[in-house]
Structure formats: structure tokens, C-alpha cells
Amino acid sequence: MPSEKILEQKKALVANLAENLKSACAGVIVNYKGINVADDTKLRKELRETGVEYFVVKNTLLQRAAKEAEIDGLEPFLEGTTAIAISKDDHVAAARILCNFAKDHDFFKAKAGFIEGSVISEAEVNNLAKLPTKEVLVAKALGGLNAPISGFVAVLNGTIRGLVVALGAIASKQQSEQSA
């Protein structure tokens, strides 16, 4: 039986992990078995640069932390070697980086993930990774909102241009009638 000191450390670790899970907008659980130090260092650096926390965790500790954070459904995925990537700001960053890494490394595989407390499957993690970045989505949305306005301005411009041409023709006609 573990000592009281070790139990307290594990309880603190579970509480800290549960707090991270609660504050995260998204996370991805991966099987990292077979990764070498150089690849792991590169992967961790890339994740860190995008604000994603990545760490290896024991399955039982993650299971307890998920239960405490009210994320139900992770238990079936908590087998073998497990690492978790948690993002507090970007829903897509962790999935995109880890799935891109998995394309080049057959041994590395996403097991599952979660978004806003709801568990998603490996296939859904892969679909999430294919989404464009938040900035690109915002730009597309704003472009879609801007298109009708641009069309309206073009129509108004054409109408005003037509009115100016008609008024110019009337003025020319009146000038020619007055000179005659």
C-alpha cells in the first residue's frame, strides 16, 4: 500500500489535472509509444509555441481527473501509453499539430479528445485537425458579410452613374436647344 505522502501527491496531481481539464476548451489524448527524444522535443516545442500544454500522464490519474472535471466517456481510451495535449484558447491547435505529426510517424496515434467537456472519437479529432485556423475562419466569415455590402455599393454606384449620364444628356440637349 502506498504511503500517505505519495497518496497526497497523487491527489494533488489529480486535482491539478482536473483543474486543467475544466479550464481547457479542447484536448487530445494520444498513444505516444515509440517516439524518440528528438521527435518528442520537436513536438513539444511546436505545441508550446501555440499555447498547448502537453504531458505524459498515468491512465488512472487521468481517469480520476476526467471524472472530477465531469468529462464522461474517456475511460475506454485510457489504455497503453497515454499523453494529453490541452489547449485553453484554440479548439483546433492541439488536434492539428498532433495529427500532422501522426501522418509522418506510424507509431503515434490520437486515441480520442474532448471539446468543451464532450468526448470526441479519433475520427472526430482527425476531422477537427482539418479545420482552418481561427483567423482564417474569421476572415472567411467577414468576407461573407462584406460581399453583400460590396454588391450593394456597386449597384448604387451604377445607378448614380446612370443618373449622371442621363442628367448630362438632358443638359446637353437643353444647351443645344438654347443655342439653336
Side-chain angles (χ1 to χ4, degrees):
M1 181 149 174
S3 71
E4 198 64 34
K5 183 178 176 185
I6 292 173
L7 283 176
E8 289 303 315
Q9 288 174 346
K10 287 184 179 181
K11 284 180 184 178
L13 189 65
V14 168
N16 185 30
L17 183 55
E19 202 52 45
N20 280 342
L21 292 174
K22 285 178 189 175
S23 65
C25 64
V28 178
I29 298 169
V30 296
N31 180 356
Y32 67 90
K33 187 175 184 175
I35 193 168
N36 61 37
V37 174
D39 287 339
D40 189 50
T41 304
K42 250 193 285 187
L43 177 63
R44 286 175 185 267
K45 181 178 184 270
E46 189 176 352
L47 288 165
R48 196 172 30 253
E49 287 172 352
T50 59
V52 177
E53 291 181 57
Y54 176 81
F55 46 91
V56 173
V57 64
K58 287 188 172 190
N59 290 326
T60 54
L61 297 180
L62 181 56
Q63 184 175 359
R64 290 176 190 217
K67 189 178 227 177
E68 198 173 305
E70 298 176 1
I71 300 174
D72 297 323
L74 282 180
E75 295 82 17
F77 306 105
L78 300 179
E79 292 180 2
T81 57
T82 301
I84 187 167
I86 298 174
S87 177
K88 293 185 183 346
D89 302 322
D90 191 347
H91 291 76
V92 181
R96 185 176 50 253
I97 292 168
L98 293 172
C99 288
N100 284 341
F101 184 81
K103 285 179 190 173
D104 300 332
H105 303 85
D106 295 335
F107 56 84
F108 195 86
K109 180 182 161 205
K111 294 181 183 181
F114 64 91
I115 298 176
E116 302 292 340
S118 298
V119 175
I120 59 174
S121 68
E122 176 190 355
E124 291 169 317
V125 170
N126 289 327
N127 288 338
L128 183 65
K130 294 174 187 170
L131 287 176
T133 63
K134 183 178 180 179
E135 292 79 20
V136 171
L137 289 173
V138 169
K140 285 182 178 183
L142 291 176
L145 292 173
N146 193 26
I149 295 169
S150 298
F152 182 66
V153 168
V155 167
L156 284 180
N157 222 1
T159 305
I160 292 171
R161 189 177 306 120
L163 179 63
V164 169
V165 169
L167 289 175
I170 292 171
S172 299
K173 184 178 177 186
Q174 286 180 351
Q175 269 184 346
S176 63
E177 287 175 0
Q178 284 178 0
S179 12

